[in-house]
Amino acid sequence: MGQPVLILFANGTDYEALLRLSTCWHAAYCERHHWRYLEHCITPNTGRFDCKAMAFIDFVKSLSNIEDGTVVASIGADMLIVRPEVDLLAALGDYDIAVHGNAMFCNEGFIVVRNTSAVRALLLAILEKGPMSSSMIDISYRVHDVFSQSVLKIKRLDDRWNWYDCFGCAPKPVTHPRSSAVIVGWHGQPLHKRIEAMKATLETMNQKVAS
């Protein structure tokens, strides 16, 4: 089993600005917990959903280049680990896969896997059901169908692992307050709003570290 790997995805050049904001923070986090830090920038093709699907495809392909048994986690460029004392290994525990949100789009959810041949085969099965749709609902059904038939141990994570207010979404019940979040995100908000929010959050966290 190799050193755990954290991959951050930026969907398109615009979102590289978010990636650059958090690079030092996430690199320091990985050094603290002995993870390896990687960044992947995805070039948009036909549109927003296509780009997200490309991120998932890239994530699946990345697993084939990482040592068997290694824990691999993925978050998007508009997501930030805000509890640096918490090791992401805690999300996976003794499961094979742990997910929150639309992890198949990688940049809107959090996914962490134990990189085994069985896990890779399961994720490939999602891709092999046909071209990735532009519909989140279609992808969600596809993922549910594949996961429900699997014998692997799959864990649905609570909101602490992907805490966010989605711009334009209906309010959702908050089972965990923001103060309990390990990872926060700014999904669906205009890019400049995401950048402002991430800058403010990083400034607050850096002040806490400095004090």
Side-chain angles (χ1 to χ4, degrees):
M1 182 178 69
Q3 182 182 22
V5 178
L6 173 64
I7 305 175
L8 259 73
F9 282 93
N11 286 343
T13 53
D14 288 346
Y15 290 89
E16 288 185 44
L18 285 163
L19 199 63
R20 297 284 77 81
L21 274 178
S22 68
T23 290
C24 290
W25 178 265
H26 286 130
Y29 172 89
C30 287
E31 183 176 359
R32 174 176 182 169
H33 293 286
H34 308 291
W35 284 63
R36 183 156 61 101
Y37 177 66
L38 298 176
E39 295 177 351
H40 287 205
C41 296
I42 308 300
T43 303
N45 188 2
T46 59
R48 176 170 170 255
F49 291 103
D50 174 76
C51 193
K52 293 177 181 181
M54 287 169 63
F56 175 58
I57 293 168
D58 189 78
F59 175 71
V60 175
K61 288 181 178 178
S62 297
L63 296 179
S64 63
N65 298 317
I66 296 173
E67 185 179 344
D68 255 27
T70 299
V71 172
V72 184
S74 170
I75 61 176
D78 66 348
M79 299 170 70
L80 194 65
I81 298 171
V82 295
R83 292 280 298 279
E85 73 278 8
V86 177
D87 194 325
L88 296 183
L89 289 174
L92 186 62
D94 63 352
Y95 285 76
D96 299 299
I97 299 174
V99 295
H100 182 284
N102 257 315
M104 297 308 107
F105 286 123
C106 287
N107 69 327
E108 285 199 351
F110 170 57
I111 182 169
V112 54
V113 306
R114 202 174 308 281
N115 185 30
T116 62
S117 58
V119 166
R120 291 193 297 274
L122 182 71
L123 298 180
L124 282 170
I126 296 170
L127 298 178
E128 290 168 354
K129 279 186 168 286
M132 295 291 273
S133 168
S134 62
S135 166
M136 281 190 178
I137 295 175
D138 179 68
I139 294 296
S140 296
Y141 276 123
R142 182 191 297 200
V143 171
H144 175 75
D145 183 51
V146 172
F147 278 11
S148 64
Q149 297 180 49
S150 175
V151 297
L152 294 177
K153 296 174 66 178
I154 301 171
K155 180 181 183 182
R156 292 289 182 176
L157 295 166
D158 61 52
D159 289 343
R160 291 173 298 172
W161 299 97
N162 183 23
W163 199 100
Y164 64 93
D165 287 320
C166 181
F167 182 78
C169 296
K172 61 177 182 177
V174 178
T175 54
H176 296 86
R178 191 186 191 284
S179 59
S180 69
V182 177
I183 300 171
V184 298
W186 295 275
H187 314 312
Q189 298 191 26
L191 180 59
H192 73 280
K193 292 287 188 182
R194 302 187 203 199
I195 290 174
E196 289 171 6
M198 184 176 285
K199 280 183 176 178
T201 303
L202 280 168
E203 183 177 352
T204 299
M205 292 192 300
N206 282 318
Q207 287 174 353
K208 288 181 179 179
V209 171
S211 62

